Amino acid sequence: MGRRRLGFLIPLWGIALGVLLYGVLTVLGARFGFLYRNVTGFTALQQVSRWAIGVSALSALGVAALVAGIAALRPASWPRKILLVLPAWFLFLTFLGLLMFLLQIGTVGPFAALWTVGSALLLLIAVTVAGLRMDLPSRIHKWVQALLGLGGASGLVAGLSLLLAFLLAMARGPAPAFAGPRGSFGPGGAPGFLGPPETLGEGARAVPPFGTPGEGFRGEPFVGPFPGRPPEGLGRVRVAPSTMAVGGGILSALAILVLGAVGWSRRRWSAEAAPAVEIEGDRPREGLRALGAGAMVSLAALLIAQLIPVPRTNPPARATIPWDSPQTQALWQRACADCHSNETRWPWYTAVAPASWLAILHVNEGRQALNLSELDPAALSPARKARLAEEIAQVIRNGSMPPADYRLIHPEARLTDLEKELLIQGLWETLSR
């Protein structure tokens, strides 16, 4: 009996480890994805691996949903019912985290990522405990095996695609052309790149193109898109391409192990008499009781969350910005000041968790990136002023600033195209003083 239960738990954990490994490889390989993106076939293989690992993750979530649903519908007393509903509750939190990514809520900073990964880990533990304590109906078990087989096969495709992508990169070397509006790597190349690939180090990273060649920006350490922050998608860790290829091989081997475990489980299920397990009790009634138990868990978690202190501070300003016009200052106050100054407004919901956690992360990230209350334009070099103005213009024009979740609850921050250009021009004039 125990082996039959392990027949779906082992593949489930294998898929979860594969998705986690893929995420780590994606972070470590961000710089290589940038350097090798023009190599023929590299981007296509990377895209295939992303789609495949997505299918694998959704398959694992489907298995978790089936197990969580069976557990939640089991008749039990109220204290035990609360325990039985935990897998379904953690599943809800995981889907809520995925919804954050779709709506771009909490994606500036680690909020959405920590929420999703933490919920998924707790879901995996809860499903494991529930799976070890109950048998699945034969019809549900067949669906579970089918989803695990799909997840293992997709993981194998993801691993092989990743492996082939980096083997291809090692065989052909980095793309010679900078995928920007001008130039190539190395001296005399694109001003948006601080040197050839082999010289990439902690202080040399890709930056948005700006200015004209020969303005003296190439030798400066990168300090943007805001001070202390690397460009989006480029990590600080320097890892050899061979490490990424080995990671793809390990992911492929893990997927083969998952498929083997699914096949072993299927053979044991066919060889042994399947237990006549069905969902007992009144399903509608048990469903309502499960919703009630979930509401009780949610209320308890919300009350406990309020015990975590979140400091809301507005330190005194250390610098006075010489605004070029009241219009620029007003636009800045509408769209930027809450996160990029010490003049943050703290509405009532910023005192209620988990909204308070998201708000403080936004403010801390924003102040660390750029804080006009502590920035003295007179102390910046002309090159630094030009770079800062260009980087601010880029994030305003592409819509990443203000963030989507901030605009969602602050309608006044939704600037028109004309207002964006006025703000960009006003900030340029202000920083130039």
Side-chain angles (χ1 to χ4, degrees):
M1 190 72 67
R3 291 182 179 179
R4 183 180 294 115
R5 295 167 184 168
L6 290 176
F8 83 88
L9 291 177
I10 292 177
L12 181 62
W13 273 89
I15 293 174
L17 290 175
V19 173
L20 178 62
L21 176 61
Y22 185 89
V24 172
L25 292 174
T26 299
V27 173
L28 294 179
R31 181 172 298 173
F32 295 107
F34 176 80
L35 291 178
Y36 297 106
R37 67 199 181 283
N38 287 343
V39 174
T40 303
F42 181 83
T43 302
L45 287 170
Q46 291 283 75
Q47 187 65 31
V48 169
S49 68
R50 282 192 287 269
W51 279 102
I53 204 66
V55 172
S56 185
L58 289 177
S59 300
L61 286 176
V63 172
L66 289 173
V67 176
I70 296 298
L73 291 177
R74 295 180 68 184
S77 59
W78 274 108
R80 190 161 178 263
K81 190 73 172 180
I82 292 176
L83 294 177
L84 290 175
V85 85
L86 282 179
W89 190 72
F90 289 131
L91 179 67
F92 167 74
L93 293 184
T94 303
F95 277 115
L96 192 59
L98 295 176
L99 185 62
M100 289 183 193
F101 281 101
L102 291 176
L103 299 178
Q104 298 181 28
I105 296 175
T107 54
V108 176
F111 183 83
L114 290 176
W115 180 291
T116 306
V117 173
S119 300
L121 179 60
L122 292 173
L123 169 64
L124 190 61
I125 295 173
V127 167
T128 299
V129 173
L132 289 174
R133 295 177 63 88
M134 69 179 187
D135 281 310
L136 297 175
S138 63
R139 183 178 69 257
I140 299 297
H141 193 278
K142 290 179 180 178
W143 275 102
V144 166
Q145 284 187 325
L147 287 172
L148 289 174
L150 176 62
S154 300
L156 180 59
V157 172
L160 291 177
S161 299
L162 200 63
L163 174 62
L164 289 175
F166 283 98
L167 288 177
L168 187 66
M170 286 190 294
R172 299 189 179 181
F178 178 79
R182 35 184 145 120
S184 60
F185 290 129
F193 202 89
L194 306 183
E198 61 270 16
T199 64
L200 279 180
E202 185 64 23
R205 302 186 184 94
V207 299
F210 54 86
T212 59
E215 290 185 6
F217 295 159
R218 183 180 302 277
E220 292 188 14
F222 179 72
V223 287
F226 294 122
R229 300 289 303 277
E232 183 179 354
L234 295 181
R236 292 174 176 267
V237 182
R238 184 168 183 167
V239 183
S242 58
T243 303
M244 310 306 302
V246 170
I250 295 175
L251 181 60
S252 302
L254 188 61
I256 292 174
L257 180 63
V258 168
L259 291 173
V262 172
W264 171 79
S265 173
R266 189 172 308 221
R267 286 194 299 271
R268 288 198 62 84
W269 185 262
S270 302
E272 300 178 11
V277 178
E278 296 296 337
I279 303 175
E280 302 174 358
D282 186 352
R283 296 186 189 181
R285 177 175 176 272
E286 292 302 326
L288 290 175
R289 294 182 73 231
L291 289 176
M296 294 170 61
V297 172
S298 299
L299 180 60
L302 191 61
L303 292 176
I304 293 173
Q306 310 312 312
L307 301 178
I308 301 177
V310 176
R312 299 182 298 169
T313 60
N314 279 348
R318 298 182 182 178
T320 301
I321 298 296
W323 296 104
D324 72 308
S325 68
Q327 181 186 45
T328 302
Q329 185 177 10
L331 290 172
W332 170 266
Q333 291 289 342
R334 281 174 52 190
C336 311
D338 276 343
C339 294
H340 295 287
S341 75
N342 293 340
E343 302 174 8
T344 305
R345 296 168 297 175
W346 299 100
W348 65 268
Y349 55 81
T350 61
V352 181
S356 59
W357 305 343
L358 177 58
I360 197 63
L361 280 174
H362 263 299
V363 173
N364 287 343
E365 288 274 327
R367 288 175 177 174
Q368 182 182 4
L370 176 67
N371 189 345
L372 284 196
S373 296
E374 300 183 2
L375 178 68
D376 183 8
L380 300 179
S381 67
R384 183 66 186 95
K385 289 181 181 180
R387 174 175 293 184
L388 183 59
E390 176 66 24
E391 290 158 354
I392 292 175
Q394 184 185 32
V395 296
I396 292 177
R397 286 195 179 107
N398 65 23
S400 58
M401 289 292 160
D405 49 356
Y406 183 82
R407 299 195 304 268
L408 185 65
I409 56 178
H410 294 86
E412 71 278 6
R414 302 170 192 170
L415 302 181
T416 65
D417 291 340
L418 176 60
E419 288 174 330
K420 289 180 180 180
E421 293 303 321
L422 290 174
L423 176 59
I424 291 170
Q425 183 63 32
L427 288 173
W428 171 264
E429 296 291 342
T430 299
L431 292 174
S432 298
R433 294 190 170 193

